[in-house]
Amino acid sequence: MKKAFLHFLTFSLLLFHIPVSAALRVFACEPEWGALAAELGGPAVNVYTATTGLQDPHLVEARPSLIAQMRRTDLVVCTGGDLEQGWLPLLFQQAGNSRVQPGGPGYFEAAAFVTLLEVPSRLDRAEGDIHAMGNPHLHLDPRNIALVAAGLAKRLAQIDSVNAVHYQARHDDFSRRWTQAMRRWEQQGAPLKGLAIVTQHKSWSYLNNWLGLRDIATLEPKPGVPPSSAYLSQVLAQLRQRPAKMIIRAAYQDVRPSRWLSERANIPAVELPYTVGGSDQARDLFGLFDDTLARLLKAAQ
Amino acid sequence: MIKKQFAAIGMVAVLSQSVIAEEAVKQEMADEMRRPWQTQRPIVTSSAFNPAVSLILYGTYSRFTKNYHEEIHGFAPAADAHGATREGLSLQGSELVVSSNIDDKFYGLIIVRLEDDKTKVEEAFFQTLALPQGLTLKGGRFLSGIGYLNEQHPHFWDFVDIALPYRAMLGGNYGDDGVQLRWVAPAPLFVEAGAEVLRGENFPAGGAAKRGAGARSVFVNLGDDVGASHSWRAGVARLEADAQGRVFEDDAHNQYSFTGKAPLNIANFVWKWAPLRNPAVTNFKFQAEYFQRDENGKYTFGAPAQEVNYGPRQSGWYAQAVYQFMPRWRVGARYDELKGGTPPMELADTLLDAEGHKPRRASMMVDFSNSAFSRLRVQFSHNQTAPKDANEVYLQYIMSLGAHGAHKF
Ligand SMILES: [Zn+2]
């Protein structure tokens, strides 16, 4: 009893260990990495998230406010795998911040810790705006979050070595809670296994891979090309042959194509948060998966 | 009492445990420091950091009414201006862009413009990535950081041609060989200041005065977001160009040579809107710039040569708005206007004399982008740059092959 109490005390003191020196400034490209940095850094980090859960991560502009944030940051945490190629290189060139240039310790890419799915065997623009390095929407498999968290905790400890113990303690705690949550989600998600779905963009491949959902049609005729009515009719005809259970769309995506198809194919169109901040419930990474599963299960009934 | 004891034991335990933990982490870090950051995997997975090569193809079909006049009355034309377009079917020139991080400290870029009889190096520069304190140094040939449109290459323009103040006072985009130092302030508001020293060969400078340092500029830009859907950038700039024997020729092949100073002040403003920062379905952009210059020097012309003092006060502005009303489709409107000032008597009735006329133009455009790599455009302009009105119709294509072009705000 005494021992357990001691452990608890040690642990909580470590957890609320007041970080030394000023907070480390973290620039997160996407909300999922902002949320992860906040989990692992706690009071030791000051996180700025460059995009919101209601924003298309493929179409981000190198706005002046982002340059100003990049100028002051100590660590940049992004997805990588070319997801940010339209804007991040510009921030590196314009912000004049030598601490965070790619290749150095101040630049962290999640994709470096995960095996990317759907690496194209053929690169041809006629196939649309494909992700040449593989599918970068990797955060929707919680096992990937765990891998990235381990890497990020190490990196935080590396560049802010005075607080190394603090990051390790927070990572231990996060990883314990995450493993528990994953077990819960996997149990909850068991009935979804093998379910046929329609998606708007290939943003869900990792979620599908994890839960065993089958993505049988995509509303974008080609990656990055907006759905046209002619193509939607084709998908509709296809669904009459091989029905799907639901249509999935990210909160940031145009609602019209999935609504159109939902009305005609008579299956629910489900808006999923896609990332932290994509719904009221998805306030952090735990909320993101809780809400995603709740919405999928509700639509599958 | 018991509680106190617990606390004391707890503290000791914490201290000893954290010392052990700290040692372990330090050891791990030391191991890692010896190796690359990640042992098995590359640290950077983005291909954007490898040489990015892109080729930009553009062409137009233009039709002008018979009063169309390329020169703008009241303004000396640049010798090598591209900004005006030829009538009929025409390739506007193709551009080859290669850029890359050179190593961890430098970035490099070259843009070559390919035309029938020549290739022209539009830009070729290196830029630092590792200077401290928010500083960036650029060296080589580059487009000056003055104004908003100036650094934008034609494939990024929202209209077929550049706004009149740029064409009249900078001969299109202004660039030259030189060095540029930029500084970004460590503040939540975007504050950027820059200074340049340039060779001074290109219009509005000329003759590479001051031993090849004939133009200097300074600029300050500010910017920020407003709410969840709006953002802006505003700036002021000054270019001081020395012209030494800057020559233009009129239709009758009379030559006019200017030697003097051409200081130019620019104020610019850009406002962008995209609902919740999602530009995919609808978005809006407004931009306006104001130019003001006081050329001050002497014109030499005629046979026998005569010399006159020249120092009119000239100004110009444009404002434009572009609205994407549905995915892939945009519509835009632009108005531009110039004030020529009055040249001395001796230069009356030459190109430098606006004859009391105020050059101005109104344009409308619609464009369609099949993807981020292809764009087709129709533009109509009502042109009053010469005393007689003219109408212009353009059809244009802009295609880019290869790397994803990242564009500045
Ligand atoms: Zn994607």
Side-chain angles (χ1 to χ4, degrees), chain A residues 2 10 54 56 61 63 65 71 81-82 90 93 109 112 125 133 154, chain B residues 6 17 28 41 45-47 127 134 184 225 272 278 373 402 407:
Chain A
K2 231 185 206 176
T10 313
L54 300 175
D56 186 342
E61 224 185 343
R63 303 191 312 280
S65 60
R71 160 73 171 90
D82 277 354
L90 282 177
Q93 287 157 29
E109 272 192 1
R125 281 275 159 69
M133 316 292 294
K154 253 191 202 168
Chain B
F6 266 136
Q17 269 214 327
E28 212 169 298
R41 289 171 189 280
T45 59
S46 308
S47 60
Q127 186 182 311
V184 179
D225 296 335
K272 290 193 190 183
N278 273 319
F373 305 95
H407 288 296

PDB file of all heavy atoms in Angstrom, chain A residues 2 10 54 56 61 63 65 71 81-82 90 93 109 112 125 133 154, chain B residues 6 17 28 41 45-47 127 134 184 225 272 278 373 402 407:
ATOM      1  N   LYS A   2       1.825   1.235   0.993  1.00  0.00           N
ATOM      2  CA  LYS A   2       2.762   2.342   1.089  1.00  0.00           C
ATOM      3  C   LYS A   2       3.528   2.496  -0.223  1.00  0.00           C
ATOM      4  O   LYS A   2       3.731   3.597  -0.738  1.00  0.00           O
ATOM      5  CB  LYS A   2       3.743   2.036   2.230  1.00  0.00           C
ATOM      6  CG  LYS A   2       3.888   3.176   3.223  1.00  0.00           C
ATOM      7  CD  LYS A   2       4.958   2.818   4.214  1.00  0.00           C
ATOM      8  CE  LYS A   2       4.776   3.508   5.531  1.00  0.00           C
ATOM      9  NZ  LYS A   2       5.788   3.067   6.510  1.00  0.00           N
ATOM     10  N   THR A  10       5.621   9.578  -6.770  1.00  0.00           N
ATOM     11  CA  THR A  10       6.763   9.775  -7.664  1.00  0.00           C
ATOM     12  C   THR A  10       6.280  10.160  -9.046  1.00  0.00           C
ATOM     13  O   THR A  10       6.726  11.117  -9.655  1.00  0.00           O
ATOM     14  CB  THR A  10       7.554   8.450  -7.815  1.00  0.00           C
ATOM     15  OG1 THR A  10       7.739   7.917  -6.534  1.00  0.00           O
ATOM     16  CG2 THR A  10       8.853   8.673  -8.522  1.00  0.00           C
ATOM     17  N   LEU A  54     -10.920  21.840 -39.725  1.00  0.00           N
ATOM     18  CA  LEU A  54     -11.918  22.126 -40.748  1.00  0.00           C
ATOM     19  C   LEU A  54     -11.255  22.602 -42.034  1.00  0.00           C
ATOM     20  O   LEU A  54     -11.882  23.189 -42.908  1.00  0.00           O
ATOM     21  CB  LEU A  54     -12.902  23.184 -40.234  1.00  0.00           C
ATOM     22  CG  LEU A  54     -13.667  22.777 -38.967  1.00  0.00           C
ATOM     23  CD1 LEU A  54     -14.525  23.915 -38.463  1.00  0.00           C
ATOM     24  CD2 LEU A  54     -14.529  21.545 -39.237  1.00  0.00           C
ATOM     25  N   ASP A  56      -8.643  21.815 -45.384  1.00  0.00           N
ATOM     26  CA  ASP A  56      -8.089  20.783 -46.249  1.00  0.00           C
ATOM     27  C   ASP A  56      -6.558  20.821 -46.162  1.00  0.00           C
ATOM     28  O   ASP A  56      -5.949  21.814 -46.551  1.00  0.00           O
ATOM     29  CB  ASP A  56      -8.551  21.044 -47.693  1.00  0.00           C
ATOM     30  CG  ASP A  56      -8.142  19.942 -48.653  1.00  0.00           C
ATOM     31  OD1 ASP A  56      -7.233  19.160 -48.295  1.00  0.00           O
ATOM     32  OD2 ASP A  56      -8.725  19.859 -49.745  1.00  0.00           O
ATOM     33  N   GLU A  61      -2.086  27.671 -47.648  1.00  0.00           N
ATOM     34  CA  GLU A  61      -1.314  28.759 -48.221  1.00  0.00           C
ATOM     35  C   GLU A  61      -0.244  29.231 -47.247  1.00  0.00           C
ATOM     36  O   GLU A  61      -0.468  29.247 -46.037  1.00  0.00           O
ATOM     37  CB  GLU A  61      -2.254  29.917 -48.572  1.00  0.00           C
ATOM     38  CG  GLU A  61      -1.908  30.465 -49.918  1.00  0.00           C
ATOM     39  CD  GLU A  61      -2.711  31.674 -50.292  1.00  0.00           C
ATOM     40  OE1 GLU A  61      -3.757  31.929 -49.676  1.00  0.00           O
ATOM     41  OE2 GLU A  61      -2.278  32.366 -51.198  1.00  0.00           O
ATOM     42  N   ARG A  63       0.719  31.689 -45.631  1.00  0.00           N
ATOM     43  CA  ARG A  63       0.255  33.019 -45.223  1.00  0.00           C
ATOM     44  C   ARG A  63       1.293  33.736 -44.359  1.00  0.00           C
ATOM     45  O   ARG A  63       2.084  33.103 -43.674  1.00  0.00           O
ATOM     46  CB  ARG A  63      -1.052  32.901 -44.426  1.00  0.00           C
ATOM     47  CG  ARG A  63      -2.175  32.197 -45.146  1.00  0.00           C
ATOM     48  CD  ARG A  63      -3.499  32.368 -44.406  1.00  0.00           C
ATOM     49  NE  ARG A  63      -3.413  32.102 -42.989  1.00  0.00           N
ATOM     50  CZ  ARG A  63      -3.420  30.893 -42.436  1.00  0.00           C
ATOM     51  NH1 ARG A  63      -3.514  29.822 -43.214  1.00  0.00           N
ATOM     52  NH2 ARG A  63      -3.349  30.740 -41.142  1.00  0.00           N
ATOM     53  N   SER A  65       1.022  35.077 -41.517  1.00  0.00           N
ATOM     54  CA  SER A  65       0.954  34.674 -40.106  1.00  0.00           C
ATOM     55  C   SER A  65       1.735  33.382 -39.867  1.00  0.00           C
ATOM     56  O   SER A  65       2.320  33.190 -38.802  1.00  0.00           O
ATOM     57  CB  SER A  65      -0.502  34.491 -39.685  1.00  0.00           C
ATOM     58  OG  SER A  65      -1.116  33.505 -40.479  1.00  0.00           O
ATOM     59  N   ARG A  71       9.079  31.686 -37.840  1.00  0.00           N
ATOM     60  CA  ARG A  71      10.271  32.451 -37.454  1.00  0.00           C
ATOM     61  C   ARG A  71      10.667  32.183 -36.004  1.00  0.00           C
ATOM     62  O   ARG A  71      11.836  32.181 -35.654  1.00  0.00           O
ATOM     63  CB  ARG A  71       9.976  33.941 -37.672  1.00  0.00           C
ATOM     64  CG  ARG A  71      10.845  34.931 -36.919  1.00  0.00           C
ATOM     65  CD  ARG A  71      12.236  35.016 -37.493  1.00  0.00           C
ATOM     66  NE  ARG A  71      12.994  36.109 -36.917  1.00  0.00           N
ATOM     67  CZ  ARG A  71      13.756  36.008 -35.825  1.00  0.00           C
ATOM     68  NH1 ARG A  71      13.850  34.859 -35.195  1.00  0.00           N
ATOM     69  NH2 ARG A  71      14.418  37.051 -35.388  1.00  0.00           N
ATOM     70  N   GLY A  81       6.037  13.146 -46.187  1.00  0.00           N
ATOM     71  CA  GLY A  81       5.494  12.402 -47.317  1.00  0.00           C
ATOM     72  C   GLY A  81       4.837  13.315 -48.335  1.00  0.00           C
ATOM     73  O   GLY A  81       3.830  12.955 -48.939  1.00  0.00           O
ATOM     74  N   ASP A  82       5.349  14.518 -48.489  1.00  0.00           N
ATOM     75  CA  ASP A  82       4.884  15.480 -49.503  1.00  0.00           C
ATOM     76  C   ASP A  82       3.532  16.113 -49.211  1.00  0.00           C
ATOM     77  O   ASP A  82       3.033  16.872 -50.035  1.00  0.00           O
ATOM     78  CB  ASP A  82       4.819  14.840 -50.903  1.00  0.00           C
ATOM     79  CG  ASP A  82       6.170  14.861 -51.579  1.00  0.00           C
ATOM     80  OD1 ASP A  82       7.098  15.458 -51.005  1.00  0.00           O
ATOM     81  OD2 ASP A  82       6.284  14.296 -52.671  1.00  0.00           O
ATOM     82  N   LEU A  90       8.120  26.951 -48.602  1.00  0.00           N
ATOM     83  CA  LEU A  90       8.110  28.416 -48.653  1.00  0.00           C
ATOM     84  C   LEU A  90       8.331  29.025 -47.272  1.00  0.00           C
ATOM     85  O   LEU A  90       9.031  30.029 -47.129  1.00  0.00           O
ATOM     86  CB  LEU A  90       6.771  28.916 -49.193  1.00  0.00           C
ATOM     87  CG  LEU A  90       6.570  28.820 -50.688  1.00  0.00           C
ATOM     88  CD1 LEU A  90       5.180  29.284 -51.054  1.00  0.00           C
ATOM     89  CD2 LEU A  90       7.599  29.679 -51.403  1.00  0.00           C
ATOM     90  N   GLN A  93      11.924  28.843 -46.456  1.00  0.00           N
ATOM     91  CA  GLN A  93      12.722  29.812 -47.207  1.00  0.00           C
ATOM     92  C   GLN A  93      12.505  31.237 -46.738  1.00  0.00           C
ATOM     93  O   GLN A  93      13.383  32.071 -46.842  1.00  0.00           O
ATOM     94  CB  GLN A  93      12.391  29.734 -48.697  1.00  0.00           C
ATOM     95  CG  GLN A  93      12.932  28.499 -49.375  1.00  0.00           C
ATOM     96  CD  GLN A  93      12.143  28.177 -50.618  1.00  0.00           C
ATOM     97  OE1 GLN A  93      11.593  29.070 -51.261  1.00  0.00           O
ATOM     98  NE2 GLN A  93      12.075  26.912 -50.968  1.00  0.00           N
ATOM     99  N   GLU A 109       9.339  14.721 -38.927  1.00  0.00           N
ATOM    100  CA  GLU A 109       8.317  14.227 -39.852  1.00  0.00           C
ATOM    101  C   GLU A 109       7.740  12.907 -39.347  1.00  0.00           C
ATOM    102  O   GLU A 109       8.472  11.931 -39.170  1.00  0.00           O
ATOM    103  CB  GLU A 109       8.939  13.978 -41.226  1.00  0.00           C
ATOM    104  CG  GLU A 109       8.926  15.178 -42.109  1.00  0.00           C
ATOM    105  CD  GLU A 109       9.275  14.836 -43.548  1.00  0.00           C
ATOM    106  OE1 GLU A 109       9.515  13.652 -43.856  1.00  0.00           O
ATOM    107  OE2 GLU A 109       9.290  15.759 -44.361  1.00  0.00           O
ATOM    108  N   ALA A 112       8.341   9.506 -41.260  1.00  0.00           N
ATOM    109  CA  ALA A 112       9.607   8.786 -41.138  1.00  0.00           C
ATOM    110  C   ALA A 112       9.508   7.613 -40.160  1.00  0.00           C
ATOM    111  O   ALA A 112      10.404   6.785 -40.099  1.00  0.00           O
ATOM    112  CB  ALA A 112      10.713   9.747 -40.702  1.00  0.00           C
ATOM    113  N   ARG A 125       0.717  12.259 -63.922  1.00  0.00           N
ATOM    114  CA  ARG A 125      -0.237  13.291 -63.526  1.00  0.00           C
ATOM    115  C   ARG A 125      -1.622  13.037 -64.114  1.00  0.00           C
ATOM    116  O   ARG A 125      -2.619  13.543 -63.612  1.00  0.00           O
ATOM    117  CB  ARG A 125       0.262  14.673 -63.948  1.00  0.00           C
ATOM    118  CG  ARG A 125       1.306  15.242 -63.025  1.00  0.00           C
ATOM    119  CD  ARG A 125       0.693  15.951 -61.836  1.00  0.00           C
ATOM    120  NE  ARG A 125       1.646  16.059 -60.729  1.00  0.00           N
ATOM    121  CZ  ARG A 125       2.719  16.825 -60.736  1.00  0.00           C
ATOM    122  NH1 ARG A 125       2.978  17.588 -61.784  1.00  0.00           N
ATOM    123  NH2 ARG A 125       3.526  16.852 -59.713  1.00  0.00           N
ATOM    124  N   MET A 133       4.865   9.888 -52.620  1.00  0.00           N
ATOM    125  CA  MET A 133       5.637   9.140 -51.627  1.00  0.00           C
ATOM    126  C   MET A 133       4.792   8.067 -50.930  1.00  0.00           C
ATOM    127  O   MET A 133       5.282   7.377 -50.050  1.00  0.00           O
ATOM    128  CB  MET A 133       6.177  10.077 -50.546  1.00  0.00           C
ATOM    129  CG  MET A 133       6.778  11.372 -51.030  1.00  0.00           C
ATOM    130  SD  MET A 133       8.305  11.112 -51.932  1.00  0.00           S
ATOM    131  CE  MET A 133       9.327  10.494 -50.612  1.00  0.00           C
ATOM    132  N   LYS A 154      11.227  11.304 -28.032  1.00  0.00           N
ATOM    133  CA  LYS A 154      12.689  11.278 -28.095  1.00  0.00           C
ATOM    134  C   LYS A 154      13.227  12.591 -28.626  1.00  0.00           C
ATOM    135  O   LYS A 154      14.208  13.129 -28.128  1.00  0.00           O
ATOM    136  CB  LYS A 154      13.129  10.155 -29.035  1.00  0.00           C
ATOM    137  CG  LYS A 154      13.715   8.982 -28.313  1.00  0.00           C
ATOM    138  CD  LYS A 154      14.370   8.062 -29.316  1.00  0.00           C
ATOM    139  CE  LYS A 154      14.481   6.671 -28.735  1.00  0.00           C
ATOM    140  NZ  LYS A 154      14.844   5.693 -29.765  1.00  0.00           N
TER     141      LYS A 154
ATOM    142  N   PHE B   6       6.037  10.663   4.703  1.00  0.00           N
ATOM    143  CA  PHE B   6       5.768  10.181   3.349  1.00  0.00           C
ATOM    144  C   PHE B   6       6.296  11.157   2.311  1.00  0.00           C
ATOM    145  O   PHE B   6       6.954  10.778   1.352  1.00  0.00           O
ATOM    146  CB  PHE B   6       4.263  10.022   3.137  1.00  0.00           C
ATOM    147  CG  PHE B   6       3.777   8.639   3.419  1.00  0.00           C
ATOM    148  CD1 PHE B   6       2.614   8.424   4.142  1.00  0.00           C
ATOM    149  CD2 PHE B   6       4.485   7.545   2.941  1.00  0.00           C
ATOM    150  CE1 PHE B   6       2.162   7.154   4.384  1.00  0.00           C
ATOM    151  CE2 PHE B   6       4.029   6.260   3.197  1.00  0.00           C
ATOM    152  CZ  PHE B   6       2.857   6.067   3.929  1.00  0.00           C
ATOM    153  N   GLN B  17      15.018   8.687  -8.368  1.00  0.00           N
ATOM    154  CA  GLN B  17      14.472   8.111  -9.611  1.00  0.00           C
ATOM    155  C   GLN B  17      14.730   9.013 -10.796  1.00  0.00           C
ATOM    156  O   GLN B  17      15.079   8.558 -11.868  1.00  0.00           O
ATOM    157  CB  GLN B  17      12.974   7.906  -9.451  1.00  0.00           C
ATOM    158  CG  GLN B  17      12.649   6.520  -8.918  1.00  0.00           C
ATOM    159  CD  GLN B  17      11.357   6.022  -9.493  1.00  0.00           C
ATOM    160  OE1 GLN B  17      10.468   6.805  -9.736  1.00  0.00           O
ATOM    161  NE2 GLN B  17      11.253   4.742  -9.724  1.00  0.00           N
ATOM    162  N   GLU B  28      20.971   7.561 -23.815  1.00  0.00           N
ATOM    163  CA  GLU B  28      20.283   7.300 -25.072  1.00  0.00           C
ATOM    164  C   GLU B  28      20.539   8.429 -26.076  1.00  0.00           C
ATOM    165  O   GLU B  28      20.778   8.217 -27.247  1.00  0.00           O
ATOM    166  CB  GLU B  28      18.785   7.213 -24.795  1.00  0.00           C
ATOM    167  CG  GLU B  28      18.060   6.262 -25.723  1.00  0.00           C
ATOM    168  CD  GLU B  28      16.657   6.038 -25.208  1.00  0.00           C
ATOM    169  OE1 GLU B  28      16.501   5.506 -24.086  1.00  0.00           O
ATOM    170  OE2 GLU B  28      15.735   6.432 -25.919  1.00  0.00           O
ATOM    171  N   ARG B  41      15.581   4.892 -40.797  1.00  0.00           N
ATOM    172  CA  ARG B  41      14.759   5.590 -41.774  1.00  0.00           C
ATOM    173  C   ARG B  41      15.313   6.972 -42.071  1.00  0.00           C
ATOM    174  O   ARG B  41      15.957   7.576 -41.239  1.00  0.00           O
ATOM    175  CB  ARG B  41      13.354   5.771 -41.215  1.00  0.00           C
ATOM    176  CG  ARG B  41      12.580   4.499 -41.129  1.00  0.00           C
ATOM    177  CD  ARG B  41      11.320   4.785 -40.354  1.00  0.00           C
ATOM    178  NE  ARG B  41      10.612   3.561 -40.030  1.00  0.00           N
ATOM    179  CZ  ARG B  41       9.835   2.915 -40.874  1.00  0.00           C
ATOM    180  NH1 ARG B  41       9.662   3.388 -42.093  1.00  0.00           N
ATOM    181  NH2 ARG B  41       9.228   1.813 -40.519  1.00  0.00           N
ATOM    182  N   THR B  45      11.065  12.802 -45.533  1.00  0.00           N
ATOM    183  CA  THR B  45      10.466  11.932 -46.536  1.00  0.00           C
ATOM    184  C   THR B  45       9.911  12.716 -47.713  1.00  0.00           C
ATOM    185  O   THR B  45       9.404  12.142 -48.652  1.00  0.00           O
ATOM    186  CB  THR B  45       9.320  11.109 -45.920  1.00  0.00           C
ATOM    187  OG1 THR B  45       8.350  12.029 -45.414  1.00  0.00           O
ATOM    188  CG2 THR B  45       9.801  10.233 -44.799  1.00  0.00           C
ATOM    189  N   SER B  46       9.986  14.051 -47.645  1.00  0.00           N
ATOM    190  CA  SER B  46       9.384  14.854 -48.704  1.00  0.00           C
ATOM    191  C   SER B  46      10.314  14.989 -49.894  1.00  0.00           C
ATOM    192  O   SER B  46      11.482  15.317 -49.733  1.00  0.00           O
ATOM    193  CB  SER B  46       9.065  16.244 -48.182  1.00  0.00           C
ATOM    194  OG  SER B  46       8.330  16.143 -47.005  1.00  0.00           O
ATOM    195  N   SER B  47       9.768  14.758 -51.068  1.00  0.00           N
ATOM    196  CA  SER B  47      10.587  14.883 -52.264  1.00  0.00           C
ATOM    197  C   SER B  47      10.789  16.340 -52.636  1.00  0.00           C
ATOM    198  O   SER B  47      11.643  16.679 -53.422  1.00  0.00           O
ATOM    199  CB  SER B  47       9.935  14.142 -53.417  1.00  0.00           C
ATOM    200  OG  SER B  47       8.655  14.697 -53.647  1.00  0.00           O
ATOM    201  N   GLN B 127      20.200  31.382 -51.818  1.00  0.00           N
ATOM    202  CA  GLN B 127      19.610  32.043 -50.656  1.00  0.00           C
ATOM    203  C   GLN B 127      20.032  31.274 -49.417  1.00  0.00           C
ATOM    204  O   GLN B 127      20.088  30.048 -49.436  1.00  0.00           O
ATOM    205  CB  GLN B 127      18.095  32.015 -50.837  1.00  0.00           C
ATOM    206  CG  GLN B 127      17.320  32.767 -49.799  1.00  0.00           C
ATOM    207  CD  GLN B 127      15.828  32.630 -50.043  1.00  0.00           C
ATOM    208  OE1 GLN B 127      15.349  32.833 -51.148  1.00  0.00           O
ATOM    209  NE2 GLN B 127      15.104  32.251 -49.024  1.00  0.00           N
ATOM    210  N   GLY B 134      16.727  35.526 -37.828  1.00  0.00           N
ATOM    211  CA  GLY B 134      15.691  35.783 -38.823  1.00  0.00           C
ATOM    212  C   GLY B 134      16.192  36.444 -40.086  1.00  0.00           C
ATOM    213  O   GLY B 134      15.411  37.007 -40.855  1.00  0.00           O
ATOM    214  N   VAL B 184      13.066  38.912 -40.754  1.00  0.00           N
ATOM    215  CA  VAL B 184      11.711  38.706 -40.256  1.00  0.00           C
ATOM    216  C   VAL B 184      11.754  38.894 -38.744  1.00  0.00           C
ATOM    217  O   VAL B 184      12.600  38.313 -38.058  1.00  0.00           O
ATOM    218  CB  VAL B 184      11.182  37.298 -40.619  1.00  0.00           C
ATOM    219  CG1 VAL B 184       9.786  37.082 -40.064  1.00  0.00           C
ATOM    220  CG2 VAL B 184      11.176  37.105 -42.126  1.00  0.00           C
ATOM    221  N   ASP B 225      -3.579  37.321 -39.978  1.00  0.00           N
ATOM    222  CA  ASP B 225      -4.906  36.761 -40.229  1.00  0.00           C
ATOM    223  C   ASP B 225      -5.921  37.612 -39.496  1.00  0.00           C
ATOM    224  O   ASP B 225      -5.608  38.225 -38.478  1.00  0.00           O
ATOM    225  CB  ASP B 225      -5.004  35.349 -39.653  1.00  0.00           C
ATOM    226  CG  ASP B 225      -4.063  34.383 -40.341  1.00  0.00           C
ATOM    227  OD1 ASP B 225      -3.707  34.645 -41.508  1.00  0.00           O
ATOM    228  OD2 ASP B 225      -3.671  33.382 -39.715  1.00  0.00           O
ATOM    229  N   LYS B 272      -7.062  38.355 -48.669  1.00  0.00           N
ATOM    230  CA  LYS B 272      -7.581  37.083 -49.193  1.00  0.00           C
ATOM    231  C   LYS B 272      -8.621  36.513 -48.247  1.00  0.00           C
ATOM    232  O   LYS B 272      -8.493  36.637 -47.030  1.00  0.00           O
ATOM    233  CB  LYS B 272      -6.440  36.076 -49.352  1.00  0.00           C
ATOM    234  CG  LYS B 272      -5.484  36.427 -50.473  1.00  0.00           C
ATOM    235  CD  LYS B 272      -4.590  35.248 -50.761  1.00  0.00           C
ATOM    236  CE  LYS B 272      -3.472  35.640 -51.705  1.00  0.00           C
ATOM    237  NZ  LYS B 272      -2.629  34.494 -52.051  1.00  0.00           N
ATOM    238  N   ASN B 278     -10.461  27.175 -46.466  1.00  0.00           N
ATOM    239  CA  ASN B 278     -10.607  26.136 -47.484  1.00  0.00           C
ATOM    240  C   ASN B 278     -10.868  26.781 -48.832  1.00  0.00           C
ATOM    241  O   ASN B 278     -11.985  27.171 -49.136  1.00  0.00           O
ATOM    242  CB  ASN B 278     -11.779  25.210 -47.144  1.00  0.00           C
ATOM    243  CG  ASN B 278     -11.336  24.096 -46.240  1.00  0.00           C
ATOM    244  OD1 ASN B 278     -10.255  23.531 -46.430  1.00  0.00           O
ATOM    245  ND2 ASN B 278     -12.141  23.790 -45.255  1.00  0.00           N
ATOM    246  N   PHE B 373      -2.254  22.248 -62.272  1.00  0.00           N
ATOM    247  CA  PHE B 373      -1.204  22.310 -63.279  1.00  0.00           C
ATOM    248  C   PHE B 373      -1.653  22.882 -64.617  1.00  0.00           C
ATOM    249  O   PHE B 373      -0.835  23.123 -65.487  1.00  0.00           O
ATOM    250  CB  PHE B 373      -0.612  20.914 -63.498  1.00  0.00           C
ATOM    251  CG  PHE B 373      -0.118  20.294 -62.223  1.00  0.00           C
ATOM    252  CD1 PHE B 373      -0.920  19.437 -61.490  1.00  0.00           C
ATOM    253  CD2 PHE B 373       1.127  20.624 -61.729  1.00  0.00           C
ATOM    254  CE1 PHE B 373      -0.470  18.886 -60.294  1.00  0.00           C
ATOM    255  CE2 PHE B 373       1.581  20.092 -60.539  1.00  0.00           C
ATOM    256  CZ  PHE B 373       0.784  19.215 -59.813  1.00  0.00           C
ATOM    257  N   GLY B 402       5.678  18.871 -64.353  1.00  0.00           N
ATOM    258  CA  GLY B 402       6.680  18.562 -63.337  1.00  0.00           C
ATOM    259  C   GLY B 402       6.253  18.952 -61.947  1.00  0.00           C
ATOM    260  O   GLY B 402       5.102  18.790 -61.577  1.00  0.00           O
ATOM    261  N   HIS B 407       3.446  28.494 -54.233  1.00  0.00           N
ATOM    262  CA  HIS B 407       3.382  29.929 -54.490  1.00  0.00           C
ATOM    263  C   HIS B 407       3.300  30.724 -53.216  1.00  0.00           C
ATOM    264  O   HIS B 407       2.636  30.343 -52.272  1.00  0.00           O
ATOM    265  CB  HIS B 407       2.177  30.251 -55.376  1.00  0.00           C
ATOM    266  CG  HIS B 407       2.361  29.797 -56.781  1.00  0.00           C
ATOM    267  ND1 HIS B 407       3.342  30.317 -57.581  1.00  0.00           N
ATOM    268  CD2 HIS B 407       1.725  28.862 -57.513  1.00  0.00           C
ATOM    269  CE1 HIS B 407       3.289  29.722 -58.759  1.00  0.00           C
ATOM    270  NE2 HIS B 407       2.313  28.824 -58.741  1.00  0.00           N
TER     271      HIS B 407
END
